[in-house]
């Protein structure tokens, strides 16, 4: 079921019909897309529940070039979650001692701020790093799936990847390095580089990774991509059903030195 507010939205929602049918077949419940103009995020997934057995993807802008791709990403990520065994669907939980260590290091690097602001910076750096670790590997897997399975979205995908890489490049220019603990800086920049290289490779646009070329971040980002490919290959060859995202995430965390920052539960 869809709520298409414009002819353009009706067209691209129709293009995603086969994907939605596949999700509904696996889920066993309907998948609904709704245009919500006042939505804070560009798109959001509201999973079904016992009280409301309908998966819903809400999206904000029904005419923007990247909106169809965002909706498709939500649908594919839902499909990947539904296909993972229940015991593998674990939440990433922060470790208090790791969080406080990052906050303490951030406080020392931000003495020009008030005590409350120093702590806020530290908490934000810790939470953002874990969020990045949790979301980037799955997002790259979804990008690859859509590239292979929905070629009609290629131009939309290129626009989305370009937008993401531009935002990463803008982050480099903010001059925040001195305010970030070395381990946070390394993790942040390496994951950004990995995503930019991934985007450049997938789209065939080398410029996407240009800000990282020749840097230490490019080298480490390339290592992360190799770890992701190795983990995916290992999962494909395994006779046991497993969650490839968790394997990649743990491999990245180990390489970045932040494996003790979280637990799975």
């Amino acid at each position: 079921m869809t709520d298409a507010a414009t002819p353009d939205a009706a067209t691209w929602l129709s293009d995603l019909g086969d994907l939605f049918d596949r999700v509904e077949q696996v889920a066993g419940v309907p998948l609904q897309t709704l245009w919500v103009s006042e939505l804070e995020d560009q798109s959001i997934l509201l999973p079904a529940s016992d009280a409301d057995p309908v998966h819903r993807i809400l999206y904000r802008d029904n005419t923007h070039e990247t909106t169809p791709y965002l909706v498709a990403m939500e649908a594919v990520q839902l499909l990947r979650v539904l296909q993972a065994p229940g015991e593998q669907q674990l939440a990433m939980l922060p470790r208090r001692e790791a969080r406080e260590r990052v906050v303490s290091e951030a406080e020392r690097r931000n003495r020009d701020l008030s005590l409350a602001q120093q702590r806020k910076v530290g908490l934000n750096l810790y939470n953002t790093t874990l969020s990045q670790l949790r979301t980037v590997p799955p997002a790259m897997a979804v990008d690859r799936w859509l590239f292979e399975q929905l070629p009609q979205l290629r131009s939309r995908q290129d626009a989305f990847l370009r937008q993401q890489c531009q935002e990463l490049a803008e982050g480099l220019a903010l001059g925040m390095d001195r305010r970030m603990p070395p381990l946070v800086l390394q993790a942040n920049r390496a994951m950004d580089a990995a995503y930019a290289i991934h985007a450049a490779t997938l789209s065939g646009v080398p410029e996407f990774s240009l800000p990282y070329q020749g840097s230490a971040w490019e080298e480490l980002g390339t290592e992360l991509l190799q770890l992701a490919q190795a983990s995916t290959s290992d999962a494909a060859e395994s006779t046991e059903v497993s969650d490839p995202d968790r394997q990649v995430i743990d491999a990245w965390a180990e390489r970045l030195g932040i494996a003790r920052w979280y637990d799975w539960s």
Side-chain angles (χ1 to χ4, degrees):
M1 178 179 177
T2 62
D3 178 8
T6 66
D8 178 66
T11 298
W12 61 254
L13 284 168
S14 177
D15 290 341
L16 300 179
D18 289 344
L19 172 59
F20 293 164
D21 289 344
R22 185 169 177 177
V23 173
E24 289 183 340
Q25 191 173 35
V26 173
V29 298
L31 171 63
Q32 184 182 62
T33 56
L34 295 171
W35 172 49
V36 181
S37 58
E38 66 274 17
L39 194 67
E40 183 175 348
D41 297 316
Q42 290 180 297
S43 65
I44 188 172
L45 170 68
L46 300 180
S49 65
D50 292 339
D52 184 16
V54 177
H55 293 295
R56 291 184 175 86
I57 299 175
L58 311 184
Y59 60 96
R60 184 177 65 200
D61 189 339
N62 62 2
T63 61
H64 196 276
E65 185 178 15
T66 62
T67 298
Y69 192 71
L70 287 165
V71 173
M73 288 186 74
E74 298 285 7
V76 174
Q77 187 57 30
L78 172 59
L79 180 63
R80 297 176 83 244
V81 169
L82 292 170
Q83 291 175 327
E87 65 272 13
Q88 288 287 341
Q89 297 177 21
L90 303 177
M92 176 184 280
L93 301 179
R95 286 186 176 180
R96 183 179 181 277
E97 62 273 18
R99 183 192 65 206
E100 292 305 314
R101 189 160 55 249
V102 172
V103 169
S104 178
E105 292 179 20
E107 288 173 344
R108 290 198 296 270
R109 291 174 174 271
N110 292 274
R111 297 298 190 190
D112 57 318
L113 303 178
S114 70
L115 292 177
Q117 290 174 322
Q118 290 173 22
R119 182 166 182 80
K120 184 177 180 180
V121 168
L123 290 173
N124 182 63
L125 289 172
Y126 174 77
N127 292 332
T128 299
T129 303
L130 278 192
S131 176
Q132 191 176 12
L133 177 65
R134 185 68 183 90
T135 59
V136 173
M140 295 195 307
V142 169
D143 285 335
R144 288 190 295 270
W145 193 97
L146 287 168
F147 181 85
E148 295 169 358
Q149 301 294 326
L150 271 73
Q152 65 268 33
L153 287 182
R154 293 281 173 80
S155 63
R156 309 273 194 178
Q157 183 178 59
D158 288 349
F160 173 79
L161 295 175
R162 180 179 299 278
Q163 175 182 295
Q164 295 298 104
C165 290
Q166 286 175 344
E167 291 176 3
L168 294 180
E170 290 169 2
L172 280 173
L174 290 178
M176 292 292 292
D177 291 15
R178 67 179 182 83
R179 294 188 179 275
M180 300 168 66
L183 207 54
V184 173
L185 178 64
Q186 172 178 272
N188 177 274
R189 295 289 187 256
M191 287 189 281
D192 285 353
Y195 184 86
I197 297 167
H198 151 83
T201 302
L202 202 61
S203 64
V205 183
E207 290 80 5
F208 287 174
S209 61
L210 188 60
Y212 302 94
Q213 288 179 12
S215 71
W217 312 128
E218 179 186 34
E219 182 178 347
L220 188 49
T222 300
E223 285 188 46
L224 295 182
L225 289 178
Q226 291 170 346
L227 286 171
Q229 293 167 356
S231 296
T232 301
S233 298
D234 290 345
E237 294 173 2
S238 174
T239 57
E240 298 181 3
V241 178
S242 61
D243 178 2
D245 291 340
R246 183 178 171 188
Q247 294 180 41
V248 176
I249 288 167
D250 286 344
W252 279 27
E254 189 68 36
R255 178 62 186 87
L256 295 171
I258 57 175
R260 297 182 181 277
W261 281 26
Y262 62 90
D263 292 304
W264 294 104
S265 178

